[in-house]
Amino acid sequence: MPNFEPTEQQTLIQRAARAYAERVLAPRADELDRRGTFPCESLSEAADLGLLGINVPEALGGTQAGAVAYSLAVSELARACAATTVAICVSNMVAEVIASFGTEDQRAEHVPRLCGGDYVVGGFALSEPEAGSDPGAMVTKAVRTDDGWVLQGSKCWITSGTHAGLFVVWARTNDSPGTRGISAFLVPGDAPGLSRGRPEEKMGQHGSTTTTVDFDEVKVPERALLGTEGGGFRVAMMALDGGRIGIGSLALGIGLAAFAKARSYAQQRHQFGRAISEFQAIQWPLADSDTELEAARLLLLRAAWRKDQGLPHTREASMAKLFATERAFQVCNRAIQVHGGYGYVREFAVERLLRDVRVTSIYEGTSEIQRLVIARELSRGR
Ligand code: CAA
């Protein structure tokens, strides 16, 4: 059974993330939301603190602190700024997938640069316009040549698409149907033929740019193939198992921030001659939020703990993401209700938190996909 008390190392990472979040992210979060500028400076400081390779071996420039530490750190970051946090999460996922599936040369070439911020951040190029929940339907192709591969196609919804210095790109390498015949490639952001679209105008997480990335006869060498030819789908799924713990933790952080604001506002705000926190109408939603956030935290820690133990964690990661993201949305919504009209204006930040949390039950697999994954694992007897 997992022990939910963090170890000394996990506590240290959590504290470092909190200190960075309070010092660097929190003061910039509102401006980032208003201006939608990519947080290059904050990300460079995250790299200096080892936050871009939390679950990556030290020998490759990472912090090697494990999935539990990662989950704790991500929640701390997201309490301050979800937009910067998602860029950090995706970059961690890219560093980890290369550390796990790369050859010695690929690991040595790319992982230290990702951890050290030389690539700014990494990008995860899986989705396509007609292949979102169903990445097995992708049409981007990679054709083998004498000295490598040529990529042709378009990806969309790419987090950090404007600035990522390295992408993991999935493409079809043979005519096998569906998920078979998909391979993963490491493609530098400055590869000739690679172009990035304009950032999408999103509801929230404005500081995180989301773009299309197009590949027009992009040539990569043979050594750019990550994992086995035709084995790319499994690589993506395994990366997403870990990624979903990260997104659940991010949602938890947003929920914790909204809850803290609602709690403190309820104590300060007086109506009918007393603090509104004295009314059951306010106490009950706060009690529900507190309970749900705690349950989300435990589900996330359990999934992360299983990952750290090398145990199967597909089902647990999906459960944790499903629950944490859906409940965090409710927590943010209740926080607005507690604030009344003030919750609906920008000045009080809970409005941003609700906009920021909404996407967490969409990216890295919608809630519907998480339910599908859980149901499939159930039918397999897990
Ligand atoms: N671990 C290891 N292998 C796995 C796996 C896992 N978690 N899940 C599936 N596989 C393997 C299967 O065993 C199977 O292997 P074989 O071919 O050898 O039998 C193969 O992968 C195909 O699996 P399925 O038949 O289950 O595939 P499917 O087409 O039915 O899809 C799915 C399964 C779970 C629905 C998957 O398509 C999915 O996760 N969809 C959601 C995609 C997603 O999350 N996209 C997010 C984009 S990235 C993003 O958002 C990042 C960002 O920028 C914020």
Side-chain angles (χ1 to χ4, degrees):
M1 275 299 289
N3 173 0
F4 290 119
E5 278 310 306
T7 63
E8 204 179 314
Q9 192 201 20
Q10 289 161 355
T11 306
L12 280 175
I13 304 281
Q14 184 181 27
R15 284 203 194 125
R18 185 181 304 162
Y20 159 81
E22 286 172 0
R23 181 177 56 83
V24 177
L25 300 187
R28 297 174 183 167
D30 185 50
E31 200 196 340
L32 213 65
D33 177 56
R34 285 172 197 268
R35 296 182 50 189
T37 42
F38 192 76
C40 288
E41 211 179 308
S42 304
L43 290 167
S44 156
E45 290 185 57
D48 293 344
L49 290 169
L51 296 171
L52 296 189
I54 296 175
N55 197 18
V56 163
E58 274 181 46
L60 296 172
T63 308
Q64 202 164 3
V68 167
Y70 177 64
S71 169
L72 295 172
V74 167
S75 293
E76 293 296 338
L77 303 177
R79 285 166 83 146
C81 179
T84 310
T85 306
V86 73
I88 292 175
C89 283
V90 174
S91 203
N92 268 278
M93 182 162 65
V94 169
E96 211 179 314
V97 78
I98 301 172
S100 304
F101 292 95
T103 61
E104 282 307 313
D105 285 350
Q106 287 171 331
R107 288 155 57 102
E109 182 180 354
H110 299 297
V111 180
R113 295 176 73 186
L114 280 164
C115 295
D118 299 346
Y119 282 128
V120 187
V121 283
F124 194 85
L126 179 70
S127 301
E128 297 183 6
E130 301 302 326
S133 288
D134 180 15
M138 71 175 61
V139 293
T140 292
K141 279 196 165 179
V143 177
R144 195 187 271 283
T145 61
D146 288 345
D147 55 353
W149 300 85
V150 177
L151 274 69
Q152 184 74 38
S154 292
K155 296 289 174 179
C156 62
W157 307 120
I158 308 306
T159 297
S160 310
T162 48
H163 286 73
L166 180 74
F167 293 96
V168 185
V169 182
W170 279 266
R172 204 162 274 293
T173 44
N174 67 44
D175 291 333
S176 302
T179 60
R180 304 277 164 97
I182 290 173
S183 304
F185 295 90
L186 299 173
V187 184
D190 58 1
L194 182 154
S195 59
R196 307 151 190 262
R198 287 159 57 92
E200 302 290 348
E201 292 184 20
K202 297 177 301 191
M203 174 181 181
Q205 301 201 359
H206 292 158
S208 149
T209 51
T210 305
T211 73
T212 52
V213 180
D214 294 326
F215 302 86
D216 185 14
E217 295 201 8
V218 173
K219 296 186 177 63
V220 291
E222 183 62 44
R223 66 173 193 284
L225 178 70
L226 178 70
T228 57
E229 188 181 337
F233 193 80
R234 197 169 153 268
V235 170
M237 292 299 111
M238 291 177 77
L240 284 169
D241 281 348
R244 288 167 182 165
I245 298 173
I247 298 303
S249 308
L250 187 155
L252 172 63
I254 303 173
L256 287 168
F259 175 67
K261 286 188 187 303
R263 193 179 170 193
S264 120
Y265 182 82
Q267 282 159 0
Q268 288 158 23
R269 172 76 171 164
H270 282 69
Q271 291 289 274
F272 304 103
R274 64 178 81 169
I276 61 171
S277 61
E278 291 180 29
F279 295 111
Q280 265 189 354
I282 301 295
Q283 291 166 354
W284 287 20
L286 288 177
D288 283 345
S289 294
D290 195 20
T291 306
E292 289 167 10
L293 291 170
E294 186 63 13
R297 188 180 76 84
L298 293 173
L299 278 174
L300 286 159
L301 288 178
R302 184 177 70 134
W305 179 84
R306 289 184 66 89
K307 183 168 182 242
D308 279 341
Q309 304 304 309
L311 295 168
H313 55 277
T314 299
R315 166 175 165 266
E316 289 78 7
S318 283
M319 283 178 160
K321 181 186 188 277
L322 171 65
F323 188 83
T325 61
E326 298 258 328
R327 292 297 101 196
F329 173 73
Q330 293 301 338
V331 169
C332 291
N333 203 26
R334 286 185 200 120
I336 290 197
Q337 196 67 18
V338 168
H339 280 76
Y342 294 107
Y344 198 63
V345 294
R346 284 195 146 193
E347 194 187 335
F348 280 74
V350 282
E351 174 266 354
R352 168 169 62 80
L353 296 173
L354 184 79
R355 286 187 288 105
D356 282 353
V357 83
R358 185 62 187 86
V359 71
T360 62
S361 51
I362 297 174
Y363 59 26
E364 295 204 22
T366 60
S367 289
E368 291 73 15
I369 288 295
Q370 307 313 323
R371 291 188 179 97
L372 184 149
V373 170
I374 298 162
R376 284 187 183 180
E377 292 286 300
L378 262 180
S379 69
R380 289 187 186 119
R382 266 218 68 228

